[in-house]
Amino acid sequence: MNFAIRITNLCRFLIDEKHEHKISDQLFRSGTSIGANMAEAQCAISKKDFAAKVYISLKECNETLFWLTLLRKTGSLDSKQYQSIYDDCEELKRLLVSITKTSKYNLDNEIINN
């Protein structure tokens, strides 16, 4: 939830201060989708459904990194603004990669053992 709040606040800043609407919209969609998909994963109806939702979160996280980098390279974010939120997003990505690997391992073992 905290990352989604940071993304929401960043998008407000980008719209109000930088008049950046198009990339801000894309960033908002991908950046808030990470947490929304993880919330769905918590109520997954199966292990396979859980793994799928976590993987979607990972893909959205990677897309968010792309938009953040584009904003930095086009001058909409200064170095300090960029680095802070980029580092948080990278940390989320590492966690999601770990969860997807564990989920895949568990799914593979479940298929083999059944």
Side-chain angles (χ1 to χ4, degrees), residues 47-65:
K47 290 179 181 180
K48 195 172 187 177
D49 185 37
F50 174 82
K53 298 294 185 208
V54 174
Y55 191 72
I56 292 169
S57 289
L58 174 59
K59 291 180 359 178
E60 295 293 342
C61 189
N62 208 50
E63 181 181 342
T64 300
L65 290 168

Side-chain angles (χ1 to χ4, degrees), residues 3 7 9 11 16-17 21 39 59 69 91-92 101 104:
F3 186 74
I7 288 292
N9 290 334
C11 289
D16 294 345
E17 301 295 323
H21 296 271
K59 291 180 359 178
T69 301
E91 179 65 22
L92 277 175
K101 285 180 180 178
K104 182 177 180 343

Side-chain angles (χ1 to χ4, degrees), residues 68-85:
L68 290 170
T69 301
L70 183 60
L71 286 164
R72 174 65 189 123
K73 291 189 176 205
T74 57
S76 293
L77 293 177
D78 67 30
S79 182
K80 185 177 177 183
Q81 292 166 323
Y82 166 77
Q83 203 60 56
S84 174
I85 198 157

